[in-house]
Amino acid sequence: GAVVSQHPSRVICKSGTSVKIECRSLDFQATTMFWYRQFPKQSLMLMATSNEGSKATYEQGVEKDKFLINHASLTLSTLTVTSAHPEDSSFYICSASGSGDSPLHFGNGTRLTVT
Amino acid sequence: KQEVTQIPAALSVPEGENLVLNCSFTDSAIYNLQWFRQDPGKGLTSLLLIQSSQREQTSGRLNASLDKSSGRSTLYIAASQPGDSATYLCAVYNQAGTALIFGKGTTLSVSS
């Protein structure tokens, strides 16, 4: 079946540094990729939607200059958390969809801890 | 704005019980509905996808129903096992079918 690979699975960084998270669709072309964030005991919240070759669409309240999303190819999207702060510590999950009625497939998530 | 609510938030049952997890959503104009499983600290595993024109889907011991008019979906788990212990998330696609809106989940614990 379709597989979405997310890397790294866990990262610890210092406050003020930037972190890049990769999301790859391994056996299908993902025209659209989504980035979610999940705080402890909360539901997943959609951060942004990215379409290959175009600018990402951010949800209300998500800073586009802080969470940089690049979807340069049909199999790769990256999320860069710039100038990370402790409050950015969270679980970030990407998902990808092919086309039509294809269900969304999710990566295994990235646990970000900012110290 | 679409809101998804899952009840109960947590559930503990002995092995072998049949159980029902509930999901409700405020806007019936949904595209599809999907149930996921999330193990602690892990990503999501898709369990069942119900298209908006369908009323239910079955996979093994799992059965999910969808009633769009009442804004409800249920996930039925038959003969529960300790390996079923996880958080179960209900999510609805927005009308454009482009994004998922999640509930907070039901955390299930099945004891042996």
Side-chain angles (χ1 to χ4, degrees):
Chain A
V3 176
V4 174
S5 173
Q6 191 171 337
H7 178 80
S9 59
R10 187 179 298 269
V11 59
I12 301 173
C13 71
K14 292 185 177 181
S15 185
T17 61
S18 296
V19 174
K20 179 184 285 188
I21 303 170
E22 292 187 349
C23 180
R24 294 179 184 273
S25 58
L26 297 185
D27 56 359
F28 67 101
Q29 292 186 325
T31 53
T32 305
M33 287 187 172
F34 303 88
W35 288 94
Y36 292 84
R37 179 169 53 185
Q38 184 180 36
F39 292 108
K41 298 185 178 180
Q42 299 295 315
S43 62
L44 279 78
M45 298 297 294
L46 179 65
M47 298 175 66
T49 302
S50 71
N51 293 296
E52 185 266 337
S54 62
K55 290 184 178 181
T57 302
Y58 290 81
E59 295 298 304
Q60 192 173 9
V62 178
E63 300 174 60
K64 62 180 181 180
D65 294 330
K66 180 171 183 61
F67 299 99
L68 301 179
I69 292 173
N70 183 278
H71 193 162
S73 76
L74 285 171
T75 59
L76 174 64
S77 176
T78 60
L79 167 67
T80 301
V81 183
T82 63
S83 187
H85 290 133
E87 55 265 33
D88 297 325
S89 299
S90 186
F91 191 58
Y92 293 85
I93 300 181
C94 73
S95 69
S97 174
S99 59
D101 288 336
S102 302
L104 285 173
H105 299 280
F106 286 77
N108 285 329
T110 298
R111 173 72 59 189
L112 170 64
T113 303
V114 184
T115 61
Chain B
K1 179 183 174 184
Q2 177 74 271
E3 293 184 2
V4 179
T5 303
Q6 289 186 246
I7 295 173
L11 182 62
S12 293
V13 300
E15 182 176 7
E17 273 203 13
N18 303 323
L19 53 101
V20 175
L21 307 182
N22 297 293
C23 172
S24 62
F25 44 94
T26 54
D27 186 349
S28 62
I30 64 170
Y31 183 63
N32 294 329
L33 183 145
Q34 196 163 356
W35 282 92
F36 296 88
R37 168 184 174 142
Q38 185 178 30
D39 292 288
K42 301 294 186 181
L44 303 181
T45 301
S46 177
L47 298 174
L48 291 165
L49 171 69
I50 309 177
Q51 297 183 359
S52 62
S53 60
Q54 298 175 324
R55 294 191 65 84
E56 67 176 338
Q57 280 286 332
T58 299
S59 175
R61 294 182 293 109
L62 305 179
N63 175 275
S65 66
L66 173 62
D67 184 344
K68 284 180 59 179
S69 61
S70 65
R72 295 176 187 270
S73 176
T74 60
L75 178 66
Y76 176 81
I77 303 177
S80 58
Q81 302 171 359
D84 295 331
S85 298
T87 295
Y88 290 82
L89 294 163
C90 165
V92 299
Y93 284 78
N94 63 2
Q95 197 167 13
T98 54
L100 276 172
I101 301 165
F102 284 84
K104 290 186 177 181
T106 294
T107 299
L108 172 65
S109 176
V110 181
S111 57
S112 56

